[in-house]
Amino acid sequence: MQYLELLKNMSLVQWAFYFLSVTTLFGALGAVMSKNTIHSVLYLVLTFFSISGIYIMLNAQFLAAVNIIVYAGAIMVLFVFAIMFLHLKGDHHGFDNTIFVSALTAVGILGVILTLAIKKAEHFRVDVNNFNPKIGLIENLGDVLYKKYLLPFELVSILFLIAMVGAVLLAKKEK
Amino acid sequence: MIQNQEIVEDLVGHFGEKVFAFEEPYGLLSFSVSPADIIEIVTYLRDHKLFKFNFLTDITGVQFPENKGLEFCAVYHLHSWKNRVRLRIKAFMPAEKPEVPTLTGMFAGANWMERETFDFYGINFLGHPNMKRILNIEEMDYHPMRKEYPLEDATRNDKIDALFGR
Amino acid sequence: MDIVLIVKSIIIVTIFAVSLGIAAYETYFERVIAAFIQDRVGPDRAGPFGILQPLADGGKLFFKEDFVPTLADKWLFILGPSISMLTALMSSAVLPFGDTLNIKGQLIDVQGMDVNIGILWVFGIVSLGVYGILIGGWASNNKYSLFGAIRAASQNISYELAMGMSLLAVILVSESLSIKAIVQSQHGINWHIFHQPLGFMLFVTCALAECNRTPFDLPESENELVAGYHTEYGSMKLGLYLFSEYINMFISSAVIASLYFGGYNYPGIDVVHDFLIKQTNDVTGHNIATGIGILVFFLKTFFFIFVFIWVRWTLPRFKYDQLMNLAWKWMLPLSVANLIIEAAAELTPMPFLASWVGLGILFLAYIIFRPLFLKRKLKQNLQ
Amino acid sequence: MSKVNIVDAPEGFEGSGFFATSLDKIIGLARSNSLWPLPFATSCCGIEFMATMGSHYDISRFGSERPSFSPRQADVLLVMGTIAKKMAPVVKQVYLQMSEPRWVMAVGACASSGGIFDTYSVLQGIDRVIPVDVYVPGCPPRPEQIIDGLMQIQELAKNESLRRRNTAEYKALLDSYKVL
Amino acid sequence: MQLTDRSKKTDKSDLTVIEKTYWPGVVKGMGITLKHFFSKKATIRYPEQKRYLGPVFRGHHILKRDEQGRERCTACGLCAVACPAEAISMVAAERVKGEEKLYREEKYAASYEINMLRCIFCGLCEEACPKQAIYLRHDKFVPVFSSRDQVIYGKDVLVEDLNDRYERDAWTKEDMAALWQKQKD
Amino acid sequence: MMEKEILAPKTVGDALALNVPLEEERELHIMNFGPTHPATHGIFQNILTMDGEKIVSSEQTVGYIHRAFEKIAERRPFYQITTLTDRMNYCSSPINNFGWHMTVEKLLGITVPKRAEYIRVIMMELARITDHLICNSILGVDTGAYSGFLYVMQEREKVYEIYEEVCGARLTTNMGRIGGMERDLSPTAIKKIKDFVNNSMPKVMKEFEDLFVRNRIFRDRTINVGPIKVERAMEYGFTGPNLRAAGVDYDIRVIEPYSSYQDFDFEVPVGHNGDTFDRFMVRNAEIWESLKIIKQAIDNLPGGPYYANENHYYLPPKKDVYSKMEALIYHFKIVMGEIDAPAGEIYHAVEGGNGELGFYLISDGGRTPYRLHFRRPGFIYYQAFPEMIEGLTVSDIVPIMSSLNVIAGELDA
């Protein structure tokens, strides 16, 4: 009964949050458990999509958009692309016990770590009164990236460049 | 311009009895060889310095049911582009064993022409890489161009045969 | 209820209906324009001037036997066209169709919503659109479909890059990601096309590629792949695919019009606005001016739709590897160059002049260095 | 929850009677104006079909300019040209792959009856393997005749009830061609 | 290989640097299509507008009657023999007394059938007819059929209707040639 | 073993659904291209073994419209075979018609009057134009540009109007007779031909070339796509435009002039390396040459009769049939097919739309040919197709196929 009350009193934002969480988890589970590789990639896309929804709720619209464009729109398409090309369709394993146990262990450990982390993080709760609602927006993001963290940012870009060159070299056929 | 006479003389001089039955119907030199010699003669003609019969125009088959013992005939048309001369070579073979060596080794284009001839007449080209029917369905159990087989589709029923004495 | 909310919902519904209606009639215009280009008359027997042709097509498709191939992945087979349609319809939400309407003293944007990442929204949705094709093509379990799907995927990803790069130059100049702001920054005749002709060309080419229109219609190139990704689709599922393609075409035209041709801006917009206000009153005048703006916007959009169709019936199609070459070896470097030129020009006191000078230098460099480059290539080939 | 009353349909309004007719008519009209052809062109008649698609005759006026080479999307199967016995299974297969409602038009003498090719290798009319709705005579027919044939099919489409494809007679027809 | 003295190489010169940017070709092509967009349309709106089929078009068959309305056909069977499609069949009958008004010759075709789906409209029957009885109309073509049992045309369709006689400029090739000669002069 | 598997799909549906990878090192898969694929304008099946989009090997199946021309010809009198030749290469049926008539005339020893020969030349060149137009414009369609196709189709329509004026049919013309033409050219026909040659066709042809020749997209699609070396082309029996594109100026009109071709001044266009673009360009250039020939022929059209005065072979005038017994007898004899053909053996070749179109005729003196064999250029050079497409992609084989201009009716006979 109490829970029903709780449900009744939930705000629109909360509804949206729980909906997105459920879809995220559903997608994630689907990605892991689906027997068809293409299906699991598509589940993963669903996960990304709902995570982007959560980003939006956090007022990080830019992050949400980039998440969709880069992960769902490009990387996952490449995944699907590769899988389609490689005929991985028939190449799936059953969901046997060892995997189940190891997965459970991993999830358990992760859960413990996360719980601890969240517990600790509670100390840094946002000050509701002085909260800047534009914190996740692109202007602030740019400000932070190009002023405060300029050096790391550029370093990261160089890192990417190196990775790209490496990838090209690897992909290039030997003559 | 090379005269047919020159070719005949050269061939007879080189092959002797192997080439025979020279004819010149409508200006086109035509002669017969035995099936076994066909490759040798075509090679000779192709590589000949003067004649240069470089182009295999056509291969086809003919059936002469009356010509007992040599019912089938493979007809080759060669063409010398430089000299603008054409040549017809015939190889007769018996109905029991219609076999002739293939020319696919020399002219890649002979492949399908030979297959077609096989399809139509059942002339077997020995050494052909892919001797099977080409135009008709594989399940067909006869060679339709032979004179003994009918042309018409047996199932047609909308004409009065008496009117067409074919 | 709040008047703003009501008007807003009316606007949203209208936008929805308008994009559907335009997409439907794009099929008609495609046929008529194609016919006119080819010295024909086009459909003229379904209603006067064949005006009912789209309805006939729709009616037929709705009542055609719905069919799922036995070997197909049933759910994905259905999901494919749905995603295509969904993504196509979503992107019109952020397009500013006009300036503001003045209703009871409240200024309401003629726009679904004005998010500050508007252009990224369009971009993201478009990049998701490829899933529709991808899933549909894969689920059909047909070689030709699969080829179409794979081509669509690689093509969309490749052209998105160049598209994003040329877009960056626009964002750089107008200093905002919101389409509304971008349009406003081109007030009057200060359109981006005049500043960034190269960017415009690149963007249009990429838009063609993203919509899978000729010369980039490889995913469904009918002479090669029968019908590409929708080979196995019939009835309304096919209808949805075709429809979403046309909606995409409309959206791209609208985006091009907003990004490079000033959206609802037109020369002398202020004069007209002032004149109308003087003639009537503040409210009516403003609203009429907005109406004119909307009209102008649609005119521009229709022009681009026409260009899309015109191009389709003129140009031959690329080949897959040439398409990739074009994307990676031409479009991407050029768009980066464009970005650099625009960025540099922004730093100078006269951005307009500087950008043109930059482009001139780029072109000269191409003319000069191209032969050298070719010679080296030739040498390499010879070795 | 209150009890929901289901109102009985008025008497005599059932079947392909009153309700159906107006819808039938509209959809029939729609179908007839949007017949997407599958040009199954094998020989000469295919070349005349090109002329039919061309500017002088312009099949698009009838809403049929979108050739659907995928059988799933086509409404009319235009068999143009000789169908050899080797080809017959393919024609049948294509017909089977088309989704309902589908029409078949045999264009030209060869497709309709074999024409001058009364030979061992030619199918004497495609109606031996699939049901044909319209025959167009001629060898090849003029584009006008092909358009006539198309208009005949439009007529058929217009006057067909939506349920025809589910009726027993239609099933029997398909059965007689062994295409079910 | 050079065989004649008439050979001419086709132009396969490289594209210029500007042409390599795709734009000149694209612009030129679009210009051409735009020109056609505004040009006059070639379409003949068929059922409403009909195209002239030429003076010798080979269309619908007709069994001519002579000036007095008698059938010309004498059932000699030449047309049937000449038909490559074997589409014509006929049954001959002797004319009896009292039928002189109906048939010109002493023999006539009691039944005359053409299978319209077999016919290839080659015109050989018209040419073969020694009595100028069968013609292929130049102004009309055979309509489409929607059922197999309509396709064999009997005399009821083929014989000329006296109330709607078929006319053409010239009935034989020779007349036609004379007519053309006159046109030329 | 593997070949068996490749041949397994008998129908389109089977093969379309075919999704079985072959067990090999590279992951090869099979794709079925035809017989109803839109790009196989005629109908033949290509079963492609592919590595990704690259073609590793291919297997052709033809015979989907095998109609047994040669067998029918053994049952038909000489004049009825014209209707068969009409349907062989239906894009240029007058060439086939006249080629056949010339063969028979050679057999019968008929000399055709000059006027008839000139009219034949005009008709044959018109046919060549339509043939090349279809081929080239379809190449445009196959590379995705549809409008050019419809522009030139309007010109083809004009050629058909001329045909209609001359013989009353559009495609399967049946316009010649043994010994000459069926009809003379009418003044309207001459006017139409002149208008076609001088005004409309050059204009449209220019436009068509403008649309394609300097367009980089088109060039990229065709240049160096499917080239074939001269030697290889000759081994494969290439003739006609496809051979000329490879660089040999082999043209029967020049080498063995028939039907007064020696009277005309024209050039033989040759290409460079025999790729798709060369074939396109050679055909284009040939259209221009054909126009030149027609112009010369129509301007110098000799007077006189349009048929040989051989009443044994050419149907007598209808008027004579009524009045003269002799004419009536000949009329019956000719129609019954009882002309006295001498026994003999003939090979006659004409330059068809696609290459050397040969007629090999054996007559035993009967009313029908004893054996008639057609040397169909399409049949012979289509063999080279697998070699030409090896290592290319699906997008390439479509333009190659259409630029080869294989006409299924001719190929399958």
Side-chain angles (χ1 to χ4, degrees), chain B residues 90-144:
Chain B
K90 291 181 190 173
F92 285 92
M93 53 207 112
E96 304 82 57
K97 212 173 101 202
E99 283 174 351
V100 60
T102 175
L103 287 190
T104 40
M106 303 160 62
F107 296 103
N111 190 327
W112 282 16
M113 297 193 245
E114 287 177 352
R115 272 177 75 184
E116 188 197 39
T117 314
F118 169 75
D119 192 354
F120 282 172
Y121 285 103
I123 296 175
N124 196 7
F125 289 84
L126 300 171
H128 189 283
N130 191 17
M131 196 82 249
K132 58 181 187 194
R133 287 182 182 278
I134 181 163
L135 294 179
N136 287 305
I137 38 176
E138 300 238 337
E139 291 79 31
M140 203 170 199
D141 51 359
Y142 63 100
H143 298 285

Side-chain angles (χ1 to χ4, degrees), chain C residues 189-254:
Chain C
I189 184 87
N190 188 26
W191 299 350
H192 284 323
I193 168 80
F194 303 121
H195 295 265
Q196 316 178 356
L198 179 63
F200 166 70
M201 285 181 204
L202 292 170
F203 193 85
V204 170
T205 319
C206 292
L208 281 172
E210 292 283 309
C211 294
N212 300 329
R213 300 280 301 180
T214 325
F216 306 99
D217 63 341
L218 286 121
E220 49 185 317
S221 55
E222 85 178 10
N223 300 88
E224 293 156 23
L225 300 182
V226 186
Y229 59 88
H230 56 63
T231 304
E232 291 284 345
Y233 282 91
S235 74
M236 205 52 208
K237 293 211 257 326
L238 169 73
L240 290 183
Y241 265 133
L242 299 181
F243 217 63
S244 63
E245 189 190 314
Y246 283 102
I247 298 176
N248 276 337
M249 202 164 110
F250 164 62
I251 301 294
S252 330
S253 305

Side-chain angles (χ1 to χ4, degrees), chain D residues 38-57 65 67 69-71 81-91 93-94 97 110 116-122 139-144, chain F residues 10-14 16 35-38 40-43 61-69 71-72 76 83-84 86-87 90-91 134 138 146 149-151 153-158 160-161 164 168 170-172 408-409:
Chain D
L38 194 162
F40 197 95
T42 58
S43 51
C44 334
C45 300
I47 304 286
E48 273 306 57
F49 183 68
M50 278 187 199
T52 318
M53 297 207 316
S55 310
H56 275 85
Y57 293 98
E65 85 271 40
F69 290 100
S70 163
T82 322
I83 300 299
K85 285 175 182 164
K86 200 172 179 177
M87 196 66 169
V90 182
V91 181
Q93 181 79 32
V94 168
Q97 286 176 340
C110 294
I116 56 172
F117 302 108
D118 175 17
T119 67
Y120 60 85
S121 63
V122 175
C139 189
R142 286 185 64 89
E144 280 100 335
Chain F
K10 273 257 145 38
T11 59
V12 198
D14 278 0
L16 284 181
T36 55
H37 190 279
T40 58
H41 304 289
I43 36 170
T61 317
V62 297
Y64 283 104
I65 56 163
H66 174 51
R67 296 181 275 190
F69 281 120
K71 185 88 179 174
I72 301 176
R76 296 277 188 276
T83 55
L84 292 180
D86 269 333
R87 284 155 185 82
Y90 33 75
C91 291
I134 290 181
I138 287 289
Y146 191 68
F149 165 69
L150 289 186
Y151 296 159
M153 279 299 115
Q154 293 174 38
E155 288 312 295
R156 195 188 67 148
E157 207 68 29
K158 282 184 185 141
Y160 284 172
E161 271 177 33
E164 254 165 27
R170 286 160 58 88
L171 201 66
T172 47

Side-chain angles (χ1 to χ4, degrees), chain D residues 6-20:
Chain D
I6 298 168
V7 182
D8 294 328
E11 261 175 79
F13 281 15
E14 279 176 36
S16 60
F18 182 78
F19 285 133

